[in-house]
Amino acid sequence: MSDILVKIHRAAPYGMITLRGDLSSTALQKAATDAAGVAFPETGMCVFEGKSGLSWMSPDELLVLMPHDQIQSTLAQIEKALNSTHFLAADVSDARAMFTITGPHWRDVLAKLTPADVHPDSFQQGHFRRTRLAQVPVAFWQSSADTVTLICFRSVADYVEGLLVNAGRAKSNADYF
Amino acid sequence: MLILTCPYCGVAADETELTPGGEAHLTRETVGADDAAFEGYLFKRENPKGVHFERWRHAYGCGKWFHAARCTVTLEVFGTYPAQTTEPPKDIRDKITAKRPGWSWRDFG
């Protein structure tokens, strides 16, 4: 349809594990990198390779992303690796929804809805930004040159989809970025 | 619009991504405190025109509490610092002194 500025796609269920603990501990770092098969992310960043990745959520929290059918094996692997240390690993896949927003104007669409700075100078590939989309918390990262991936709570997924579709109408293009 | 940089995740967070937590560096009076001290803890607050220290929570981000030093008149932010402290760190106080000579806030300044 010509009215659409960016393509908004609600992704199929995706595997997400919340891993909380001391992020400076080598045991936890090793467990996380072994589980996801990627390098450990720096503060405010995320690392992806293929369909698996690690995202820095807070000073004591990581989000491990993986295909939906690998949740149980990854969870078991983390629990085995961190056995006897203080940590929490929980499957949060069912609590979350994921969207991809594709098109050269994705920054314009996001900027209408979030207070986060999405200018190319401050938000690039590798950055992981937790923020607010209109009235609900979300996190997003740039997954390719013209695609941004966004996660939110599943309970507000319909609301988020409505926001994105509305902000993504061609006639409402701010064309700022 | 107030923009504070979260000292934990380094994000320049907009005011609407944060939850205000009121005045910073309160001493929580509890069992054994006299009435005056407890009254002070419950009710007595600074209401400065100028330098102020506040608690904020990065609610739409990493979820951590932190402290911010700012000017209530100009909204200038002097700095933010982690919550694990009972008084403003020296570098923040020095920064304020450089910009607002003669400032005072409670017993500081």
Side-chain angles (χ1 to χ4, degrees):
Chain A
M1 288 201 300
S2 59
D3 187 37
I4 303 297
L5 185 64
V6 289
K7 197 173 142 228
I8 291 147
H9 173 67
R10 188 158 163 180
Y14 209 78
M16 294 181 213
I17 292 173
T18 286
L19 178 60
R20 298 198 82 141
D22 178 6
L23 296 194
S24 61
S25 102
T26 45
L28 189 137
Q29 290 189 3
K30 186 169 185 312
T33 51
D34 286 353
V38 298
F40 198 78
E42 289 175 45
T43 300
M45 308 295 270
C46 61
V47 186
F48 278 91
E49 248 171 62
K51 296 198 160 185
S52 298
L54 285 178
S55 305
W56 190 95
M57 295 285 276
S58 84
D60 52 8
E61 182 178 344
L62 283 178
L63 185 67
V64 189
L65 293 112
M66 77 232 79
H68 198 260
D69 58 354
Q70 292 171 20
I71 298 169
Q72 291 311 321
S73 59
T74 311
L75 201 54
Q77 189 187 341
I78 293 172
E79 279 171 357
K80 191 165 171 241
L82 290 175
N83 190 20
S84 82
T85 64
H86 181 66
F87 78 103
L88 169 92
D91 172 16
V92 294
S93 315
D94 292 347
R96 301 265 169 82
M98 184 188 269
F99 292 90
T100 56
I101 304 152
T102 311
H105 288 287
W106 64 264
R107 289 183 197 269
D108 291 299
V109 172
L110 277 188
K112 281 188 210 172
L113 299 167
T114 170
D117 185 0
V118 292
H119 191 274
D121 289 348
S122 35
F123 184 74
Q124 296 140 11
Q125 222 155 339
H127 286 140
F128 183 84
R129 182 67 150 87
R130 292 180 75 180
T131 180
R132 175 175 69 81
L133 198 77
Q135 299 184 37
V136 295
V138 297
F140 51 76
W141 64 94
Q142 191 183 345
S143 32
S144 74
D146 65 348
T147 305
V148 68
T149 307
L150 180 145
I151 53 176
C152 65
F153 286 115
R154 196 169 70 164
S155 55
V156 295
D158 290 345
Y159 171 74
V160 167
E161 186 170 354
L163 288 174
L164 291 171
V165 167
N166 191 40
R169 291 189 195 284
K171 283 179 182 167
S172 73
N173 184 13
D175 205 13
Y176 180 74
F177 294 107
Chain B
M1 189 64 81
L2 189 61
I3 294 176
L4 300 176
T5 302
C6 172
Y8 297 99
C9 56
V11 160
D14 175 82
E15 188 176 346
T16 58
E17 293 177 77
L18 305 165
T19 306
E23 188 174 321
H25 307 305
L26 294 175
T27 303
R28 184 171 182 166
E29 303 294 346
T30 176
V31 178
D34 60 31
D35 286 355
F38 199 69
E39 185 203 11
Y41 162 59
L42 279 183
F43 302 115
K44 302 271 179 73
R45 294 291 182 270
E46 297 294 319
N47 185 19
K49 182 181 177 185
V51 176
H52 195 27
F53 296 86
E54 292 171 323
R55 300 169 73 226
W56 289 87
R57 179 173 176 262
H58 195 187
Y60 281 94
C62 66
K64 301 298 175 197
W65 284 98
F66 62 91
H67 286 135
R70 68 177 182 100
C71 176
T72 58
V73 179
T74 63
L75 294 193
E76 178 180 3
V77 178
F78 302 114
T80 54
Y81 49 101
Q84 287 75 25
T85 174
T86 52
E87 59 177 52
K90 184 154 190 320
D91 62 319
I92 299 275
R93 281 185 278 162
D94 290 346
K95 247 184 240 172
I96 299 172
T97 305
K99 288 175 173 168
R100 300 279 191 283
W103 69 280
S104 78
W105 185 82
R106 279 207 232 140
D107 298 336
F108 303 108

